[in-house]
Amino acid sequence: MLRLLLPSLLALGAGFSIVVQQVLNTNLRTALNSAAWSGFVSYAVGLACMALLIVALRDPLPSAGVAARIPWWAWSGGVFGALFIGLAIVLVPQLGAAAFIALLVAGQMLASVAFDHFGWMGLAQRPLDGPRLVGIALLVGGVILIRR
């Protein structure tokens, strides 16, 4: 249990950072009067931070051979990140931060359970069972309570 404390706290921090990111991006959208430029700035700053991390970790550039062996769909994560950022910039002001994040987590959980159940994209299969169904029902109930 204790060995999971730090990873759990870091995951909570990551969740906190998502809310902060969305509020900052929403404020930037208002200031720039553009959801597209707000998202662009978010990604540009993120790209600069990742470049600094690469330098700090002294991570070598992957070889062309390694890159060629990676499936085409593995390169598309940024598309989904851009979709998330763009939708968040537009929806947080409409729904509020709590409702947006509640719906976001519900969508993540539903997708995660499906990916686990079917073993999509190389994940180990973890069948949908009673406790997971109860967890989904509780999560959906929580979203309904937050949205009301």
Side-chain angles (χ1 to χ4, degrees), residues 91-128:
L91 296 176
V92 166
Q94 293 175 20
L95 298 172
F100 175 77
I101 294 298
L103 291 162
L104 173 77
V105 170
Q108 288 174 326
M109 186 56 58
L110 292 170
S112 297
V113 168
F115 273 67
D116 280 351
H117 180 74
F118 295 107
W120 288 337
M121 294 188 177
L123 288 179
Q125 266 190 290
R126 291 179 177 86
L128 186 58

Tab-separated table of all heavy atoms in Angstrom, residues 91-128:
chain	number	residue	atom	x	y	z
A	91	LEU	N	-15.624	24.205	-24.009
A	91	LEU	CA	-16.671	23.675	-23.134
A	91	LEU	C	-16.566	24.090	-21.667
A	91	LEU	O	-17.593	24.164	-20.986
A	91	LEU	CB	-16.704	22.150	-23.229
A	91	LEU	CG	-17.089	21.596	-24.603
A	91	LEU	CD1	-16.984	20.080	-24.617
A	91	LEU	CD2	-18.484	22.057	-25.002
A	92	VAL	N	-15.366	24.343	-21.149
A	92	VAL	CA	-15.236	24.724	-19.736
A	92	VAL	C	-16.067	25.971	-19.418
A	92	VAL	O	-16.794	25.984	-18.415
A	92	VAL	CB	-13.757	24.869	-19.312
A	92	VAL	CG1	-13.629	25.578	-17.972
A	92	VAL	CG2	-13.099	23.497	-19.247
A	93	PRO	N	-16.034	27.011	-20.255
A	93	PRO	CA	-16.881	28.171	-19.938
A	93	PRO	C	-18.386	27.849	-19.997
A	93	PRO	O	-19.172	28.448	-19.271
A	93	PRO	CB	-16.524	29.196	-21.016
A	93	PRO	CG	-15.214	28.772	-21.550
A	93	PRO	CD	-15.166	27.275	-21.397
A	94	GLN	N	-18.783	26.913	-20.844
A	94	GLN	CA	-20.197	26.569	-20.979
A	94	GLN	C	-20.676	25.658	-19.853
A	94	GLN	O	-21.776	25.835	-19.335
A	94	GLN	CB	-20.451	25.882	-22.319
A	94	GLN	CG	-20.249	26.771	-23.519
A	94	GLN	CD	-20.406	26.000	-24.824
A	94	GLN	OE1	-21.004	24.941	-24.868
A	94	GLN	NE2	-19.844	26.547	-25.887
A	95	LEU	N	-19.879	24.654	-19.504
A	95	LEU	CA	-20.297	23.645	-18.530
A	95	LEU	C	-19.831	23.937	-17.111
A	95	LEU	O	-20.425	23.447	-16.158
A	95	LEU	CB	-19.743	22.272	-18.940
A	95	LEU	CG	-20.194	21.699	-20.275
A	95	LEU	CD1	-19.407	20.434	-20.609
A	95	LEU	CD2	-21.686	21.421	-20.248
A	96	GLY	N	-18.746	24.679	-16.986
A	96	GLY	CA	-18.081	24.859	-15.698
A	96	GLY	C	-16.982	23.815	-15.570
A	96	GLY	O	-17.053	22.744	-16.192
A	97	ALA	N	-15.968	24.117	-14.771
A	97	ALA	CA	-14.815	23.218	-14.637
A	97	ALA	C	-15.218	21.877	-14.032
A	97	ALA	O	-14.807	20.817	-14.509
A	97	ALA	CB	-13.724	23.879	-13.803
A	98	ALA	N	-16.039	21.878	-12.979
A	98	ALA	CA	-16.389	20.629	-12.304
A	98	ALA	C	-17.186	19.701	-13.216
A	98	ALA	O	-16.896	18.504	-13.298
A	98	ALA	CB	-17.175	20.913	-11.031
A	99	ALA	N	-18.185	20.236	-13.896
A	99	ALA	CA	-18.985	19.387	-14.793
A	99	ALA	C	-18.145	18.884	-15.949
A	99	ALA	O	-18.247	17.709	-16.337
A	99	ALA	CB	-20.200	20.159	-15.307
A	100	PHE	N	-17.296	19.740	-16.517
A	100	PHE	CA	-16.447	19.303	-17.628
A	100	PHE	C	-15.542	18.159	-17.183
A	100	PHE	O	-15.444	17.136	-17.857
A	100	PHE	CB	-15.608	20.459	-18.176
A	100	PHE	CG	-14.633	20.010	-19.228
A	100	PHE	CD1	-15.069	19.749	-20.520
A	100	PHE	CD2	-13.296	19.807	-18.925
A	100	PHE	CE1	-14.185	19.300	-21.490
A	100	PHE	CE2	-12.412	19.360	-19.890
A	100	PHE	CZ	-12.858	19.106	-21.173
A	101	ILE	N	-14.879	18.321	-16.047
A	101	ILE	CA	-13.959	17.288	-15.575
A	101	ILE	C	-14.722	16.019	-15.209
A	101	ILE	O	-14.264	14.901	-15.488
A	101	ILE	CB	-13.104	17.807	-14.396
A	101	ILE	CG1	-12.169	18.927	-14.864
A	101	ILE	CG2	-12.313	16.673	-13.752
A	101	ILE	CD1	-11.146	18.529	-15.921
A	102	ALA	N	-15.907	16.151	-14.603
A	102	ALA	CA	-16.700	14.963	-14.270
A	102	ALA	C	-17.056	14.192	-15.542
A	102	ALA	O	-16.930	12.963	-15.597
A	102	ALA	CB	-17.963	15.362	-13.510
A	103	LEU	N	-17.509	14.904	-16.562
A	103	LEU	CA	-17.846	14.255	-17.833
A	103	LEU	C	-16.598	13.681	-18.493
A	103	LEU	O	-16.634	12.593	-19.076
A	103	LEU	CB	-18.561	15.236	-18.755
A	103	LEU	CG	-19.967	15.620	-18.292
A	103	LEU	CD1	-20.434	16.888	-18.989
A	103	LEU	CD2	-20.936	14.479	-18.534
A	104	LEU	N	-15.500	14.406	-18.395
A	104	LEU	CA	-14.230	13.937	-18.946
A	104	LEU	C	-13.808	12.621	-18.292
A	104	LEU	O	-13.470	11.655	-18.977
A	104	LEU	CB	-13.151	15.002	-18.718
A	104	LEU	CG	-11.724	14.626	-19.070
A	104	LEU	CD1	-11.539	14.672	-20.572
A	104	LEU	CD2	-10.756	15.553	-18.381
A	105	VAL	N	-13.877	12.567	-16.971
A	105	VAL	CA	-13.487	11.352	-16.253
A	105	VAL	C	-14.438	10.205	-16.593
A	105	VAL	O	-14.007	9.062	-16.774
A	105	VAL	CB	-13.420	11.608	-14.730
A	105	VAL	CG1	-13.260	10.317	-13.955
A	105	VAL	CG2	-12.277	12.565	-14.410
A	106	ALA	N	-15.736	10.505	-16.704
A	106	ALA	CA	-16.692	9.461	-17.074
A	106	ALA	C	-16.363	8.911	-18.461
A	106	ALA	O	-16.361	7.692	-18.677
A	106	ALA	CB	-18.118	10.004	-17.032
A	107	GLY	N	-16.056	9.794	-19.407
A	107	GLY	CA	-15.676	9.340	-20.745
A	107	GLY	C	-14.389	8.525	-20.720
A	107	GLY	O	-14.280	7.498	-21.396
A	108	GLN	N	-13.429	8.976	-19.936
A	108	GLN	CA	-12.177	8.231	-19.808
A	108	GLN	C	-12.423	6.852	-19.214
A	108	GLN	O	-11.845	5.859	-19.668
A	108	GLN	CB	-11.186	9.002	-18.926
A	108	GLN	CG	-10.609	10.226	-19.575
A	108	GLN	CD	-9.751	11.023	-18.606
A	108	GLN	OE1	-10.030	11.083	-17.410
A	108	GLN	NE2	-8.714	11.650	-19.127
A	109	MET	N	-13.273	6.781	-18.198
A	109	MET	CA	-13.529	5.499	-17.546
A	109	MET	C	-14.246	4.543	-18.486
A	109	MET	O	-13.886	3.365	-18.576
A	109	MET	CB	-14.347	5.714	-16.269
A	109	MET	CG	-14.540	4.450	-15.463
A	109	MET	SD	-12.994	3.615	-15.003
A	109	MET	CE	-12.160	4.890	-14.102
A	110	LEU	N	-15.250	5.035	-19.198
A	110	LEU	CA	-15.976	4.174	-20.131
A	110	LEU	C	-15.043	3.659	-21.229
A	110	LEU	O	-15.049	2.478	-21.564
A	110	LEU	CB	-17.170	4.915	-20.728
A	110	LEU	CG	-18.291	5.234	-19.732
A	110	LEU	CD1	-19.303	6.177	-20.360
A	110	LEU	CD2	-18.953	3.968	-19.227
A	111	ALA	N	-14.217	4.543	-21.767
A	111	ALA	CA	-13.262	4.118	-22.798
A	111	ALA	C	-12.232	3.153	-22.211
A	111	ALA	O	-11.893	2.142	-22.837
A	111	ALA	CB	-12.565	5.333	-23.405
A	112	SER	N	-11.766	3.428	-21.005
A	112	SER	CA	-10.757	2.572	-20.378
A	112	SER	C	-11.280	1.173	-20.134
A	112	SER	O	-10.577	0.175	-20.372
A	112	SER	CB	-10.304	3.181	-19.044
A	112	SER	OG	-9.695	4.425	-19.250
A	113	VAL	N	-12.519	1.080	-19.662
A	113	VAL	CA	-13.115	-0.230	-19.414
A	113	VAL	C	-13.243	-1.002	-20.728
A	113	VAL	O	-12.944	-2.197	-20.792
A	113	VAL	CB	-14.485	-0.083	-18.703
A	113	VAL	CG1	-15.257	-1.376	-18.693
A	113	VAL	CG2	-14.273	0.413	-17.284
A	114	ALA	N	-13.648	-0.307	-21.796
A	114	ALA	CA	-13.766	-0.970	-23.103
A	114	ALA	C	-12.392	-1.420	-23.611
A	114	ALA	O	-12.239	-2.553	-24.080
A	114	ALA	CB	-14.429	-0.032	-24.118
A	115	PHE	N	-11.383	-0.551	-23.500
A	115	PHE	CA	-10.035	-0.916	-23.954
A	115	PHE	C	-9.500	-2.102	-23.159
A	115	PHE	O	-8.895	-3.012	-23.722
A	115	PHE	CB	-9.078	0.282	-23.848
A	115	PHE	CG	-9.074	1.167	-25.052
A	115	PHE	CD1	-10.187	1.932	-25.393
A	115	PHE	CD2	-7.962	1.241	-25.866
A	115	PHE	CE1	-10.187	2.750	-26.503
A	115	PHE	CE2	-7.940	2.057	-26.987
A	115	PHE	CZ	-9.062	2.814	-27.306
A	116	ASP	N	-9.731	-2.082	-21.841
A	116	ASP	CA	-9.298	-3.208	-21.003
A	116	ASP	C	-10.045	-4.490	-21.363
A	116	ASP	O	-9.440	-5.551	-21.497
A	116	ASP	CB	-9.535	-2.903	-19.518
A	116	ASP	CG	-8.461	-2.022	-18.906
A	116	ASP	OD1	-7.442	-1.775	-19.564
A	116	ASP	OD2	-8.663	-1.591	-17.749
A	117	HIS	N	-11.355	-4.401	-21.506
A	117	HIS	CA	-12.178	-5.587	-21.755
A	117	HIS	C	-11.792	-6.276	-23.063
A	117	HIS	O	-11.676	-7.498	-23.122
A	117	HIS	CB	-13.663	-5.213	-21.771
A	117	HIS	CG	-14.564	-6.377	-22.022
A	117	HIS	ND1	-14.814	-7.326	-21.048
A	117	HIS	CD2	-15.242	-6.773	-23.127
A	117	HIS	CE1	-15.634	-8.246	-21.544
A	117	HIS	NE2	-15.906	-7.930	-22.803
A	118	PHE	N	-11.586	-5.482	-24.103
A	118	PHE	CA	-11.289	-6.056	-25.419
A	118	PHE	C	-9.790	-6.177	-25.703
A	118	PHE	O	-9.401	-6.767	-26.703
A	118	PHE	CB	-11.967	-5.237	-26.522
A	118	PHE	CG	-13.461	-5.298	-26.458
A	118	PHE	CD1	-14.194	-4.214	-26.021
A	118	PHE	CD2	-14.146	-6.464	-26.813
A	118	PHE	CE1	-15.584	-4.269	-25.950
A	118	PHE	CE2	-15.529	-6.529	-26.754
A	118	PHE	CZ	-16.249	-5.433	-26.321
A	119	GLY	N	-8.947	-5.614	-24.847
A	119	GLY	CA	-7.506	-5.668	-25.065
A	119	GLY	C	-7.070	-4.872	-26.285
A	119	GLY	O	-6.116	-5.246	-26.958
A	120	TRP	N	-7.750	-3.776	-26.551
A	120	TRP	CA	-7.442	-2.970	-27.737
A	120	TRP	C	-6.055	-2.341	-27.648
A	120	TRP	O	-5.578	-1.980	-26.581
A	120	TRP	CB	-8.478	-1.877	-27.920
A	120	TRP	CG	-9.828	-2.364	-28.373
A	120	TRP	CD1	-10.109	-3.522	-29.024
A	120	TRP	CD2	-11.072	-1.702	-28.182
A	120	TRP	NE1	-11.450	-3.615	-29.270
A	120	TRP	CE2	-12.078	-2.508	-28.766
A	120	TRP	CE3	-11.453	-0.504	-27.588
A	120	TRP	CZ2	-13.421	-2.164	-28.776
A	120	TRP	CZ3	-12.792	-0.156	-27.594
A	120	TRP	CH2	-13.752	-0.977	-28.182
A	121	MET	N	-5.428	-2.186	-28.784
A	121	MET	CA	-4.131	-1.518	-28.960
A	121	MET	C	-3.053	-2.117	-28.074
A	121	MET	O	-2.190	-1.416	-27.552
A	121	MET	CB	-4.262	-0.010	-28.750
A	121	MET	CG	-5.103	0.661	-29.802
A	121	MET	SD	-5.027	2.446	-29.613
A	121	MET	CE	-6.017	2.931	-31.012
A	122	GLY	N	-3.101	-3.413	-27.885
A	122	GLY	CA	-2.035	-4.106	-27.179
A	122	GLY	C	-2.169	-4.170	-25.671
A	122	GLY	O	-1.264	-4.686	-25.006
A	123	LEU	N	-3.253	-3.667	-25.112
A	123	LEU	CA	-3.427	-3.760	-23.659
A	123	LEU	C	-3.771	-5.190	-23.263
A	123	LEU	O	-4.391	-5.919	-24.030
A	123	LEU	CB	-4.554	-2.839	-23.197
A	123	LEU	CG	-4.285	-1.342	-23.222
A	123	LEU	CD1	-5.519	-0.586	-22.744
A	123	LEU	CD2	-3.092	-0.983	-22.354
A	124	ALA	N	-3.391	-5.557	-22.063
A	124	ALA	CA	-3.781	-6.862	-21.525
A	124	ALA	C	-5.289	-6.853	-21.311
A	124	ALA	O	-5.846	-5.852	-20.862
A	124	ALA	CB	-3.063	-7.116	-20.201
A	125	GLN	N	-5.933	-7.957	-21.638
A	125	GLN	CA	-7.376	-8.048	-21.460
A	125	GLN	C	-7.724	-8.182	-19.985
A	125	GLN	O	-7.141	-8.995	-19.271
A	125	GLN	CB	-7.942	-9.244	-22.227
A	125	GLN	CG	-8.439	-8.849	-23.603
A	125	GLN	CD	-9.216	-9.985	-24.234
A	125	GLN	OE1	-8.627	-10.999	-24.588
A	125	GLN	NE2	-10.499	-9.797	-24.394
A	126	ARG	N	-8.665	-7.356	-19.550
A	126	ARG	CA	-9.208	-7.401	-18.191
A	126	ARG	C	-10.720	-7.372	-18.340
A	126	ARG	O	-11.291	-6.315	-18.622
A	126	ARG	CB	-8.714	-6.211	-17.378
A	126	ARG	CG	-7.236	-6.289	-17.072
A	126	ARG	CD	-6.766	-5.076	-16.271
A	126	ARG	NE	-5.378	-5.197	-15.932
A	126	ARG	CZ	-4.359	-4.832	-16.711
A	126	ARG	NH1	-4.589	-4.353	-17.915
A	126	ARG	NH2	-3.116	-4.960	-16.307
A	127	PRO	N	-11.361	-8.511	-18.178
A	127	PRO	CA	-12.798	-8.588	-18.466
A	127	PRO	C	-13.637	-7.681	-17.574
A	127	PRO	O	-13.294	-7.420	-16.429
A	127	PRO	CB	-13.151	-10.054	-18.230
A	127	PRO	CG	-11.962	-10.708	-17.650
A	127	PRO	CD	-10.808	-9.783	-17.712
A	128	LEU	N	-14.741	-7.224	-18.154
A	128	LEU	CA	-15.707	-6.433	-17.413
A	128	LEU	C	-16.433	-7.359	-16.438
A	128	LEU	O	-16.947	-8.396	-16.828
A	128	LEU	CB	-16.709	-5.809	-18.402
A	128	LEU	CG	-17.716	-4.822	-17.853
A	128	LEU	CD1	-17.018	-3.661	-17.174
A	128	LEU	CD2	-18.609	-4.324	-18.972
